[in-house]
Each structure stands twice: as structure tokens, then as C-alpha cells.
Amino acid sequence: IDPLSKNDLINGDLRKIAVTIEKWSISLLSQAGKIELENTTSSNSSLEDDDKGLLDSFSDEVSVKEGWKLKFESTKLLGKVVSESSKKHALADKVFLKIPICSILVGPMVEDVEQLSIDFNLEKIDIFYSVMTHFIIISSLHLLRNTIFEFLQYSEKSDVPKTPSSPEKKAGIEELLDRVHLNFNIDYLDLIFVAPDRMKLKCEVNRASAIVLPKSPILLNSHYMRLCAESPTTPGYWSRILTAVNGSTQVNIQDILANNDENTWFNLANESCHLTIPHQFIIYKVFENISVMAKTLRQLHHSLKYNTDEIVINPKAKPAHKIPRTNLKSNRLLFSMDDDPVSYTHLRAHETRRHL
């Protein structure tokens, strides 16, 4: 593929991506863990005479075990892309990510020092996602791979590519990943998704957390989750589609990666769940946009990964995909459909006249 074509330029300029951080810091902390000694009836301090008294140290009562923590903190992280809009063929700034306060803590586990714990603590996340934003971000990463880091694939004395990674190296990476424990804590998540046909969805999650352990299911928890769609009748407002209170989700990632559809992939549980269909909202368009977006991203990643314009999305008749096994438990499950406000008003007026 031509590395630079006329379609890459907007009024003679390229699309861009920028990430800024107002303030950040990295610190290496030394941590001491106290270990109690066994009870004993004698100690060095009890043998001191009256002239010296007791020892002025507690080193005989506890021993100190040194540990370490690597901490990264940032404030006002802002990500934006510079691209054209659907209505105007000119470059403009679009903010797609805002994180006011972020903290990442890396260190050994207290119970087992051979296990590594990585904790992500985020105060709030605002994300604006679209296929175009995804394209610009992924294209930027592939641009770095194909230019700056391309020389890492070749030896210094010849243009022969280096040998692929050995099985021992891959096994070492897998062994390293088996020792990593990930913890995510997010106070508030606000995600706006723009579908290929310009339909907008919004997901809000309050007090969310995720735990990823080696060779174990992924655990997701949230205090409150709300999914909204742009109102079909009142532009500029959101209509609720789904709300869930005190929800938890267990993702059996091992079965998903092994494509084992005989076992349950997802276990969903919540205290209360309410599904609503807004007036004039066409629900099948949500699933249609998911299908279109998945095919678009598949073609995009194939073209960028192999630097080719080969078409890998070939429409053809095929049977419907099986829905993975999912367990849903809820103490209170509601389903409702919003009626036409005008018809509802006329119906109430008619009912009122009947009772007069």
C-alpha cells in the first residue's frame, strides 16, 4: 500500500492523535512489613542491669521484611484526535478521553512475593468512541510499528528478519502473565458510543471494579449501571434502555478462549434490572450496528496488520451464530415500553371522561 495517498490528506494536512498530561509522577516506595516473633520468656533486654535499663529499640520484638511499590500518578489526562467531521471536510479537535485523576500501583503480593499485583484506581473516565476514532488511534500505532520500530525486526549486519520467538520465550511470557494480578477501580465511567449509522448510545457505570486473576474467571462489579440511547422524539436528550443496580458479572475467559460452548460463558447477577424500549426506538438497529462495526474493525485490523488492501469481508449466507450460555439472576426484573405521549394523554382524558 502506498504509505501516503491523497485520501490521507485533509486540506493538505494529516489526521493526528495527541495525549497530554498536566502533571504526573513516578515514585518507588520502600515498604516494611512487620512479622511477630514467637512468644518467649527471655530476651536480651531482661538481662540488662539497673545502670543501663531496657534497650531503646523494639527490634527484638518484631523483624522487618522489606518490600517495594512502584506508584504512578497523573492528573488531567486528555486524549484527542484531529480529524474531519461528517458535515465539514476540515480538520478539527475531538476529545475522546478524559481522566482527571489516575493512580497505578505495582508491587509484590503480600501473601506471595512471587505474585505481582497491579492496581488501577481511576476517579472518573469520560470516553467518546466511534469507528473513525478507533481507526485513527490504531493507524497511529501501526505507523509507529512500521517506521520507528521496524528496525527491531532485522539484524544489524543483514536485512534478514530475525527468527521468530522460540517456544521457550513464549512459555516465559505465559509464565510471567500467570503471576500477574490485575485490579481495576473506577468511581464513575461515562462512555458515549457513536454507531456507523450515527446512532448514539451512552453507558454510565457508578463504582465499578474488575478483578483479573491468573487462570480464573474475570469478576466485574458495579453499584449502578445505566444504558441510554439518543431520544428518537426529543433530539439532544437521552432515553434509558437498561438500568441495573448492584450488578456482578463473571466472565469465564478460559472457556471463551477455548471456544468451549458447552460450558457457561457469562454469569450475570443483580439486585434489580429494568429493560425499557423508548417510543419510536428501533431496537434491532443496535444489533445491526454491532454487526457492521465488528466487520468494519475486522477489515481495518487485517489491512493495517498485513499492510494490504485485500478484502476479507465477503458477504455470504451462513447460519445464525449460537448465543453463548449465560446465567442471569435478578431479585427484581422489569420490562416496559414507552407509549406515544400524545396517545397517552388522549387515553387518560378519555378514561377521565368515562368516570365522570
Side-chain angles (χ1 to χ4, degrees):
I1 298 179
D2 186 357
L4 185 62
S5 64
K6 61 179 182 180
N7 296 326
D8 293 328
L9 299 176
I10 306 297
N11 293 334
D13 203 354
L14 289 169
R15 304 178 182 92
K16 305 177 184 67
I17 177 174
V19 178
T20 60
I21 301 177
E22 183 177 278
K23 182 180 179 181
W24 63 274
S25 64
I26 298 179
S27 55
L28 182 61
L29 308 176
S30 177
Q31 184 171 301
K34 296 182 179 180
I35 303 177
E36 295 184 0
L37 296 178
E38 296 181 358
N39 293 332
T40 179
T41 57
S42 63
S43 64
N44 293 335
S45 60
S46 64
L47 301 180
E48 298 297 339
D49 56 22
D50 183 61
D51 292 335
K52 296 182 179 180
L54 297 176
L55 295 177
D56 59 350
S57 173
F58 293 92
S59 60
D60 291 330
E61 298 179 7
V62 294
S63 63
V64 177
K65 183 178 179 180
E66 294 296 333
W68 61 272
K69 292 286 185 181
L70 182 64
K71 188 175 184 180
F72 172 81
E73 293 180 312
S74 68
T75 57
K76 295 186 179 180
L77 188 152
L78 187 70
K80 65 179 180 180
V81 296
V82 182
S83 64
E84 72 279 16
S85 64
S86 59
K87 299 180 180 179
K88 188 177 181 181
H89 193 70
L91 294 177
D93 292 350
K94 301 176 185 177
V95 177
F96 69 90
L97 177 65
K98 290 194 300 183
I99 303 178
I101 298 177
C102 172
S103 175
I104 303 175
L105 194 63
V106 182
M109 299 285 294
V110 178
E111 301 83 1
D112 187 358
V113 295
E114 294 185 357
Q115 302 291 322
L116 187 66
S117 174
I118 304 178
D119 297 331
F120 296 84
N121 295 288
L122 309 175
E123 184 180 80
K124 181 184 178 182
I125 302 181
D126 293 302
I127 302 176
F128 185 88
Y129 177 85
S130 66
V131 175
M132 188 62 187
T133 303
H134 186 106
F135 164 72
I136 296 176
I137 296 174
I138 297 299
S139 298
S140 302
L141 297 177
H142 280 272
L143 178 63
L144 292 176
R145 186 200 68 175
N146 295 333
T147 54
I148 299 178
F149 301 106
E150 186 178 8
F151 67 93
L152 296 177
Q153 301 176 4
Y154 298 91
S155 60
E156 298 180 355
K157 297 182 179 179
S158 65
D159 294 335
V160 180
K162 292 184 177 180
T163 57
S165 299
S166 61
E168 293 80 6
K169 183 177 180 181
K170 293 182 179 180
I173 296 177
E174 293 178 357
E175 183 180 357
L176 177 62
L177 294 177
D178 289 341
R179 298 177 181 271
V180 176
H181 297 238
L182 299 178
N183 295 283
F184 297 87
N185 293 285
I186 304 174
D187 290 341
Y188 180 75
L189 170 65
D190 188 353
L191 169 63
I192 297 178
F193 169 77
V194 181
D197 68 347
R198 312 303 298 174
M199 181 184 70
K200 295 181 181 179
L201 298 174
K202 181 177 182 179
C203 180
E204 295 177 308
V205 183
N206 186 24
R207 294 197 337 232
S209 64
I211 301 176
V212 183
L213 303 178
K215 298 180 180 180
S216 300
I218 299 176
L219 303 178
L220 307 174
N221 296 282
S222 66
H223 172 64
Y224 182 81
M225 190 273 288
R226 177 170 62 180
L227 179 64
C228 306
E230 187 176 18
S231 175
T233 57
T234 310
Y237 289 84
W238 298 100
S239 298
R240 283 180 292 182
I241 299 178
L242 177 68
T243 56
V245 179
N246 292 333
S248 63
T249 303
Q250 177 179 303
V251 182
N252 297 317
I253 188 66
Q254 299 295 331
D255 293 328
I256 296 176
L257 296 178
N259 198 22
N260 184 3
D261 54 4
E262 297 298 327
N263 296 335
T264 302
W265 285 13
F266 304 98
N267 290 296
L268 310 177
N270 55 67
E271 192 175 287
S272 175
C273 182
H274 188 183
L275 178 63
T276 307
I277 306 299
H279 179 61
Q280 294 186 0
F281 183 75
I282 305 175
I283 192 65
Y284 83 85
K285 284 191 173 182
V286 176
F287 303 99
E288 185 181 57
N289 277 283
I290 293 176
S291 177
V292 172
M293 186 189 69
K295 294 175 182 179
T296 303
L297 296 181
R298 179 185 172 191
Q299 178 66 57
L300 169 64
H301 284 267
H302 177 82
S303 300
L304 293 175
K305 182 177 180 179
Y306 298 102
N307 290 330
T308 178
D309 55 358
E310 176 189 6
I311 304 298
V312 295
I313 305 299
N314 300 312
K316 59 181 179 180
K318 57 189 303 186
H321 291 284
K322 292 178 61 177
I323 298 177
R325 292 194 177 189
T326 303
N327 291 333
L328 174 61
K329 297 180 181 180
S330 179
N331 295 335
R332 187 168 182 261
L333 183 62
L334 301 175
F335 175 77
S336 61
M337 298 182 65
D338 292 343
D339 197 1
D340 182 8
V342 177
S343 300
Y344 178 76
T345 303
H346 290 170
L347 179 62
R348 290 295 302 272
H350 176 71
E351 293 291 335
T352 303
R353 286 194 298 269
R354 284 184 56 187
H355 293 286
L356 292 178

